[in-house]
Amino acid sequence: MKKEIRKVLVINSGSSSLKYQLFDMTKGERLAKGLVERIGCGGPKDHTEALKQVVADLGNPKDIDAIGHRVLHGAEVFKDSVKMNVANMAKCKKLVKFGPLHMPANLGGIEACEKIFKGVPNVAVFDTAFHQTMPDCAAMYAIDPKYYKKMGIRKYGFHGTSHKFITQEAAKFLKKPLAKVNLVTCHLGNGSSLAAVKNGQCVDTSMGLTPLAGMVMGTRCGDIDAAAVLSIMEAEKLTPAEADTLLNKKSGLLALTGSSDCRDICAKADKGDKAAELALEMLAYRVAFYIGGYNTVIGGADAIVMTGGIGENSKEVRERIVRRLGALGIKLDKKANNVRGQTAVISTKDSKIPVVIIPTNEELAIAQDTVRVLGKM
Ligand code: ADP
């Protein structure tokens, strides 16, 4: 008989930090969470040392049944989460080019677990997997196809674990079978992305080859004319790495207002700061613009779902977005919108499409997927 999977450790291993959460999956309950920082820069020397600290923090547990890992990029190789083994690790290592910063850290976390938790199965859960059902018309870029064939240049999308989780939760909330639910899911946080979900499957998403595309984000510009980037690179004599930093780390809300934190920007806008006001309107405009497009793509949404730090907590930003959705017959219930961090309908009863907040929980989603993948084997 198969051993029941009870305790699942979830690892989110970044280049200089390692976040973890421990779940009891028989109750769906979190038992512990923590963070090890400054890996390789003053703290633990590598991910194995960092993990030793996690083991000590957890009091040397001997009863961990499985470990789920957040992995940035599965490209077209991994359309679902997988149990890690030698062959799958070799396949993952070929994908490092798609995330040169994150992938080595993600895979380093898995290798560290293989060493320290001997015999405990590891499952990789990819941020891109949920989006692998996108049709080519949404995923391909209009450039010479040789770049797709040679280099895999296409749209992949990210935050897939979150979009999938809130899709499942929204289907339950709306009392619709997952295979019949049509949604526009909006993950609005420091990084933001939208997904068009038709019959429970992703058919489009706003991030691209990398997480740079789509929304106006904390420090990322989102959609921009590629020629604008070339002009700046030429004028400022930037290398590709410098341009990457400019667009990923020094743009978005930060460049527009001096802060990447939505709370600060809302406070400034309240006081009449014009730059903050414009930044929030740019953010809301782009979200509304994509909601309109995705509603068409899926043939009419059963609900618009909002999640992430901003989606769950910022009534100001939600109001600015919904204000722009009148053409879809969507109306905000201002009183109902006065909520934070909980599942709630924020549209009026006569709104043609309901707008629903569903808090995301990526770590729990990874733990659930770990159980599912190992249960299938
Ligand atoms: P990450 O993408 O790093 O996981 P989060 O999903 O935690 O980020 O989202 C962070 C964003 O959520 C920040 O811009 C923060 O200002 C915003 N946020 C969190 N709480 C609130 C709040 N009460 N009001 C407005 N914005 C909030």
Side-chain angles (χ1 to χ4, degrees), residues 187-191 260-263 266 308-310 313-314 316 340:
H187 179 110
L188 308 174
N190 222 341
S260 64
D261 193 301
C262 208
R263 278 164 294 203
C266 286
I310 297 173
N313 297 305
S314 177
E316 294 89 350
R340 277 194 56 192

Side-chain angles (χ1 to χ4, degrees), residues 19 70 159 187-192 218 220 253 259-266 307-317 340 360 362:
K19 293 185 206 143
R70 180 179 197 169
H159 288 146
H187 179 110
L188 308 174
N190 222 341
S192 298
R220 296 188 191 116
L253 299 174
S259 167
S260 64
D261 193 301
C262 208
R263 278 164 294 203
D264 297 345
I265 301 164
C266 286
T307 200
I310 297 173
E312 291 169 32
N313 297 305
S314 177
K315 61 174 192 274
E316 294 89 350
V317 172
R340 277 194 56 192
T360 195
E362 287 169 282

Side-chain angles (χ1 to χ4, degrees), residues 30-49:
R30 190 174 69 203
L31 303 172
K33 74 181 266 193
L35 165 70
V36 182
E37 288 179 290
R38 303 198 303 137
I39 301 171
C41 45
K45 82 172 179 343
D46 57 20
H47 288 90
T48 306
E49 292 301 315

